[in-house]
């Protein structure tokens, strides 16, 4: 049945995740769960996303992006890496010294577990009104420990504990604490539990003042079900679980960041970090706009307002200087458009019977109007289109109903085959008048 041949690529040089790190056995419950409410979304566009730009955002772009995220409803926003650059430090100071941050928005700043950089980070948030989270990270996976940091497990743990003590000494009760064992998905689970036990005890994690434990799939390394098992293992075994907000930060190296995040939420994650449209190093961070609108399409309020998604896209493209792909879920220029005759016919029939109740139009998972899109671009005509789509465009735009749809479609097919391009509504109308000598 399968006639594929061995490829010349050296696949033998790679190991699967089970050969790299122990994946702890777990009493798996996530496959039977459903997502019934939105997690806490935390956009990291101003830090992680900004680090991945060829041209990092200038202060004006950072401010524009921040104001967009506040306007559409994000309540916890990672705003920078203040010890990494003067631009980031100055932006955090702008937020601390102005009224740009609403009282119900939590500001997150990012730092490595190094005393000098922690001091600079704490300095940046001095006087910030409202909740502040200092997010400390350290790479914990074996390859990073051995090759990059050249530290044993115990040596790295000592460095992490010294960093957390330094934050506590400098900031006291004025901040909340977040820790990311970077490349969590390639780190031994017993080691992460050891770190989590120490840090949640040191920081006195309680439901009233929870510690955020963020578990990044910094490099996607397995199928999403494995990540879900890794998250559920922590969910089931974390000490002081009621005082911990379990957070995830999936990347997209395998192209499954969305699936990893959704399965992680099923597995017990309560908080998801990502970028609005998935910007980030290499193949990007998880796309939290897609995650939110996936919930919307399942009847769950995403708790973020994408009712004018083209405005959101425009701001993101301006701030990042990167275009959004036309096939990008929910926001791309072509994602609500059908060129195929079969699809067009089904959409036309769906619109004909769709009322004000539940949305049930074939090939359109959500009503484009939900995100501020019109219907004029839902059906577009080229050489792949059929009679139903052609008739739909003429009728919806000009009120013209061809007497013989099949016959007119043949004229359109001939014209689009000759030109090799799409036929606009005005061109269809002109062709109709040319063929029949009238407009109706």
């Amino acid at each position: 049945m399968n006639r594929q041949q061995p490829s010349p690529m050296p696949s033998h040089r790679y190991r699967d995740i089970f050969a790299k790190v122990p994946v702890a056995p777990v009493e798996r419950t996530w496959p039977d769960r459903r997502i019934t409410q939105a997690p806490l979304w935390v956009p990291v566009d101003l830090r992680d996303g900004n680090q991945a730009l060829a041209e990092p955002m200038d202060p004006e772009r950072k401010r524009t992006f921040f104001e967009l995220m506040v306007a559409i409803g994000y309540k916890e926003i990672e705003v920078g890496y203040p010890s990494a650059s003067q631009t980031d430090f100055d932006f955090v100071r702008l937020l601390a010294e102005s009224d740009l941050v609403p009282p119900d928005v939590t500001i997150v700043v990012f730092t490595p577990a190094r005393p000098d950089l922690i001091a600079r980070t704490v300095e940046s948030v001095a006087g910030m009104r409202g909740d502040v989270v200092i997010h400390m990270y350290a790479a914990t996976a074996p390859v990073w420990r051995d090759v990059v940091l050249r530290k044993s497990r115990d040596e790295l743990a000592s460095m992490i504990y010294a960093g957390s003590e330094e934050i506590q000494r400098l900031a006291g009760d004025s901040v909340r604490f977040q820790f990311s064992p970077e490349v969590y998905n390639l780190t031994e689970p017993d080691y992460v539990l050891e770190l989590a036990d120490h840090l949640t005890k040191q920081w006195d994690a309680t439901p009233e003042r929870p510690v955020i434990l963020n578990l990044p799939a910094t490099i996607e390394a397995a199928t999403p079900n494995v990540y879900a098992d890794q998250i559920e293992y922590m969910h089931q075994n974390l000490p002081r679980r009621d005082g911990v907000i379990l957070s995830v930060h999936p990347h997209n190296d395998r192209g499954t960041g969305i699936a990893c995040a959704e399965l992680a939420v099923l597995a017990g994650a309560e908080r998801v970090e990502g970028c609005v449209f998935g910007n980030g190093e290499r193949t990007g961070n998880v796309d939290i706009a897609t995650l939110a609108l996936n919930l919307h399409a399942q009847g769950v309020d995403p708790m973020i307002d994408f009712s004018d998604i083209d405005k959101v896209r425009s701001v993101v493209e301006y701030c990042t200087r990167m275009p959004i792909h036309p096939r990008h879920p929910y926001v791309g220029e072509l994602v609500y458009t059908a060129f195929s005759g079969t699809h067009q016919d089904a959409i036309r029939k769906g619109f004909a019977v769709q009322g004000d109740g539940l949305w049930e139009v074939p090939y359109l998972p959500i009503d484009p109007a939900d995100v501020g899109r019109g219907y004029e671009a839902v059906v577009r005509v080229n050489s792949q289109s059929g009679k139903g789509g052609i008739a739909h465009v003429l009728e919806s735009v000009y009120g013209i109903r061809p007497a013989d749809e099949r016959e007119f479609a043949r004229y359109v097919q001939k014209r689009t085959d000759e030109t090799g391009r799409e036929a606009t509504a005005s061109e269809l109308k002109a062709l109709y008048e040319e063929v029949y000598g009238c407009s109706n």
Side-chain angles (χ1 to χ4, degrees), residues 241-400:
R241 180 66 184 91
D242 64 348
V244 174
I245 296 173
L246 192 59
S247 175
V248 291
H249 182 117
H251 278 250
N252 200 44
D253 300 270
R254 292 169 53 94
T256 58
I258 295 289
C260 280
E262 291 180 329
L263 268 57
V265 171
L266 292 175
E270 303 144 298
R271 180 181 183 272
V272 177
E273 294 186 352
C275 287
V276 175
F277 293 128
N279 176 43
E281 294 281 17
R282 304 178 312 281
T283 56
N285 292 288
V286 72
D287 180 332
I288 55 176
T290 297
L291 285 168
L293 289 166
N294 283 353
L295 290 183
H296 173 69
Q298 295 291 309
V300 177
D301 185 349
M303 309 296 282
I304 298 293
D305 181 6
F306 286 108
S307 60
D308 188 353
I309 203 164
D310 285 338
K311 178 181 178 182
V312 178
R313 179 180 66 178
S314 175
V315 172
V316 172
E317 288 181 327
Y318 164 73
C319 292
T320 62
R321 301 178 177 94
M322 294 195 308
I324 302 296
H325 193 281
R327 299 291 183 190
H328 194 111
Y330 299 108
V331 66
E333 178 187 355
L334 297 177
V335 297
Y336 305 104
T337 299
F339 291 102
S340 156
T342 303
H343 290 204
Q344 291 173 342
D345 182 62
I347 290 170
R348 182 191 186 195
K349 290 172 179 174
F351 273 129
V353 299
Q354 177 66 43
D356 295 330
L358 293 174
W359 180 255
E360 297 286 353
V361 175
Y363 297 111
L364 293 176
I366 68 169
D367 184 345
D370 293 350
V371 291
R373 291 284 178 86
Y375 299 121
E376 65 278 359
V378 169
V379 172
R380 289 164 58 175
V381 175
N382 63 16
S383 62
Q384 304 297 307
S385 303
K387 60 183 177 60
I390 294 165
H392 173 80
V393 171
L394 281 176
E395 185 174 359
S396 61
V397 178
Y398 297 110
I400 298 172

Side-chain angles (χ1 to χ4, degrees), residues 29-252:
T29 65
W30 61 261
D32 296 323
R33 294 183 185 164
R34 297 181 181 181
I35 302 176
T36 57
Q37 63 181 28
L40 174 61
W41 308 114
V42 183
V44 296
D45 297 81
L46 299 179
R47 194 274 300 175
D48 201 345
N50 190 50
Q51 290 174 214
L53 297 175
E55 297 179 69
M57 286 179 256
D58 55 42
E60 190 275 331
R61 281 180 167 81
K62 291 199 82 168
R63 177 171 178 163
T64 298
F65 209 140
F66 178 79
E67 290 174 336
L68 169 74
M69 291 189 286
V70 169
I72 63 177
Y74 289 111
K75 297 301 180 184
E76 188 164 315
I77 303 171
E78 191 165 270
V79 298
Y81 190 161
S83 65
S85 75
Q86 189 64 42
T87 299
D88 269 25
F89 183 90
D90 291 344
F91 181 70
V92 177
R93 291 310 305 153
L94 171 67
L95 298 180
E97 295 168 355
S98 69
D99 58 0
L100 291 172
V101 183
D104 62 345
V105 170
T106 296
I107 294 300
V108 184
V109 288
F110 185 78
T111 183
R114 281 179 43 187
D116 56 330
L117 303 184
I118 287 169
R120 180 72 165 162
T121 303
V122 173
E123 180 187 356
S124 75
V125 296
M128 186 82 71
R129 295 183 293 277
D131 283 348
V132 174
V133 172
I134 292 184
H135 177 186
M136 185 184 77
Y137 84 96
T140 56
V143 172
W144 278 255
R145 293 196 311 258
D146 298 341
V147 175
V148 182
L149 301 174
R150 299 185 179 180
K151 292 182 182 293
S152 67
R153 280 177 45 149
D154 289 344
E155 289 170 335
L156 179 59
S158 296
M159 185 188 85
I160 291 168
Y161 302 154
S164 62
E165 289 170 4
E166 186 69 2
I167 294 173
Q168 193 167 28
R169 184 183 73 82
L170 293 175
D173 294 337
S174 66
V175 303
R176 288 175 40 228
F177 182 71
Q178 174 176 343
F179 175 65
S180 286
E182 192 189 8
V183 210
Y184 160 74
N185 56 324
L186 289 173
T187 302
E188 306 93 332
D190 68 301
Y191 187 45
V192 177
L193 281 177
E194 175 189 319
L195 296 172
D197 183 31
H198 183 103
L199 294 172
T200 54
K201 184 185 298 181
Q202 178 186 330
W203 272 80
D204 190 25
T206 64
E208 294 73 32
R209 189 164 179 255
V211 168
I212 301 165
L213 180 63
N214 187 52
L215 303 176
T218 313
I219 307 289
E220 267 203 303
T223 51
N225 60 295
V226 175
Y227 188 52
D229 284 351
Q230 293 174 314
I231 298 303
E232 184 151 22
Y233 177 81
M234 298 301 292
H235 174 57
Q236 292 177 356
N237 291 283
L238 271 177
R240 301 165 199 88
R241 180 66 184 91
D242 64 348
V244 174
I245 296 173
L246 192 59
S247 175
V248 291
H249 182 117
H251 278 250
N252 200 44

